[in-house]
Amino acid sequence: MTNEISDGLARFLSDEFGGPATVSNVRRLSAGARRASIAFDARWGGRSRPLVATIVPAEIEHLPVTAEAGVRELVRAHGVPVPEVVATCSDDGYVGSPFLISERVDGETVPRKVLRLVHGADNGAVVAAQLGEAMAVLHSVDPALAPDQLPGDPQADPARTELSEIAEVVVELLSDRPVFATALRWLEDRIPEPPQRKVLLHTDIRNGNIIVDGDGLRSILDWEGARRFGDPMRDAAWSALRMWRFGSDAEEIGGFAGRDPFVRGYTQSGGTFDAERFRWWKVLCTLGWGTGLAQQAQSYLDGTVRDIVMAASGRRIPEIEWDLLMQIRPER
């Protein structure tokens, strides 16, 4: 498989840049169950570059790789730390699936290793603040400038739209789980008004989708879930879910630090933090991740994605129920 990918990438780069290209040091990086990240060194035109190919199987390509590249380059131009996109390919004739190629940024991505690195350097508050800063810069980008393929309606209410989408999955796959029904009622009773300003969202900024080194945040990865005209507290809440703390549960933001440095970084970079909206979105995002786990398990059962990670997702649903109960319990 490595030789096939190496040969396919070399052929693509040769075709894309109009000259012979060679590929070496091909290796698979840590990756999710759905997308593969392949690190390699490429040489063409007399120069060598360290690169990463993100290969996206067609059956899970929610956003075309060209659109994902477009939103990444848009936010990078505004100052969000994102690896430069070198090329995109929608033709599955090279490596079997569409892919995009980016510059390779040094640093750690594996969540528990990230936490060891950050805690060892005693800069968790720095990383949390940097996440807040990067998110505020992202939310300052005009969502109308993003590729048209991104989901999002400028006239829609983001909270009601996402709540409705999640409720449909609860009814379809989790109707026998009373905690999910209780959380839905809690959310329906407290649904916020539309935000004063609708923004461009990543939707999955968290520990696990970032690159960190000894100095802190280097890059934000995995933009396939980007959407337009959303509530900025949706991104903020997602980064604070317990499942992204990887054992450091006391540190709300990714296991790095508490909320305060994140909020400070966000507001100092132009964002407006709303604690009540943040709480509502945190409950919705937790519920949404529970439905996502159910869908992943279903995708294994129906044969769409035959990967053991998908099969194992279902057993994590009770964790989500616990998180929901802790979040919606009456305040003492």
Side-chain angles (χ1 to χ4, degrees):
M1 179 62 71
T2 299
N3 288 337
E4 293 176 2
I5 290 176
S6 177
D7 292 344
L9 291 173
R11 285 193 298 109
F12 169 74
L13 291 171
S14 298
D15 294 343
E16 180 76 4
F17 296 105
T22 59
V23 167
S24 60
N25 300 323
V26 178
R27 62 191 185 281
R28 181 169 180 141
L29 302 175
S30 60
R34 298 153 76 86
R35 291 157 52 109
S37 295
I38 308 295
F40 64 100
D41 296 326
R43 186 173 185 83
W44 75 90
R47 62 180 302 204
S48 181
R49 294 189 70 176
L51 301 172
V52 173
T54 303
I55 301 175
V56 187
E59 64 268 19
I60 57 96
E61 188 186 24
H62 300 302
L63 186 67
V65 292
T66 51
E68 181 177 348
V71 72
R72 282 178 48 173
E73 287 299 283
L74 171 65
V75 301
R76 190 173 72 87
H78 283 77
V80 179
V82 183
E84 177 188 357
V85 176
V86 175
T88 62
C89 179
S90 300
D91 183 352
D92 62 8
Y94 290 99
V95 299
S97 297
F99 61 93
L100 57 86
I101 296 176
S102 312
E103 67 169 336
R104 190 165 76 238
V105 176
D106 291 335
E108 187 56 73
T109 60
V110 178
R112 293 187 186 277
K113 293 182 178 180
V114 166
L115 289 178
R116 285 198 293 270
L117 176 65
V118 169
H119 293 161
D122 195 25
N123 65 348
V126 171
V127 174
Q130 290 171 331
L131 278 175
E133 293 166 4
M135 195 177 293
V137 175
L138 167 63
H139 293 166
S140 73
V141 178
D142 183 354
L145 298 177
D148 291 340
Q149 297 98 321
L150 265 65
D153 180 350
Q155 305 304 320
D157 180 341
R160 292 183 184 277
T161 298
E162 192 157 347
L163 178 59
S164 176
E165 293 170 352
I166 289 172
E168 290 180 4
V169 182
V170 171
V171 170
E172 179 185 0
L173 298 178
L174 296 163
S175 59
D176 61 339
R177 315 290 294 216
V179 173
F180 283 85
T182 301
L184 272 178
R185 288 195 297 271
W186 187 96
L187 289 161
E188 290 165 351
D189 290 343
R190 295 164 176 80
I191 193 163
E193 293 297 317
Q196 292 185 350
R197 186 173 61 89
K198 298 175 184 177
V199 304
L200 181 61
L201 298 179
H202 179 286
T203 76
D204 200 13
I205 295 178
R206 60 177 176 84
N207 186 7
N209 279 341
I210 59 176
I211 300 176
V212 173
D213 67 9
D215 295 324
L217 179 67
R218 294 291 309 280
S219 289
I220 297 174
L221 306 173
D222 292 350
W223 290 78
E224 73 274 18
R227 66 176 61 176
R228 304 186 292 172
F229 308 111
D231 188 324
M233 288 301 96
R234 200 279 185 200
D235 264 348
W238 185 261
S239 70
L241 301 189
R242 186 190 59 80
M243 63 281 297
W244 313 139
R245 302 175 202 167
F246 297 93
S248 297
D249 286 358
E251 310 294 357
E252 185 179 27
I253 306 300
F256 303 124
R259 188 184 303 179
D260 288 349
F262 171 84
V263 173
R264 185 168 58 252
Y266 187 75
T267 56
Q268 288 180 350
S269 295
T272 300
F273 187 84
D274 184 325
E276 288 188 13
R277 301 179 76 87
F278 174 87
R279 184 190 182 196
W280 189 90
W281 277 104
K282 189 174 177 183
V283 175
L284 184 67
C285 287
T286 301
L287 185 67
W289 183 234
T291 61
L293 290 171
Q295 288 174 315
Q296 288 181 358
Q298 183 62 34
S299 73
Y300 180 86
L301 292 173
D302 65 20
T304 302
V305 184
R306 301 296 290 183
D307 189 293
I308 190 62
V309 176
M310 298 290 101
S313 294
R315 67 186 297 273
R316 300 197 61 192
I317 290 174
E319 298 178 38
I320 302 303
E321 292 175 315
W322 172 259
D323 287 342
L324 287 169
L325 290 172
M326 293 301 99
Q327 290 179 34
I328 67 177
R329 62 182 176 177
E331 297 181 359
R332 297 175 181 177

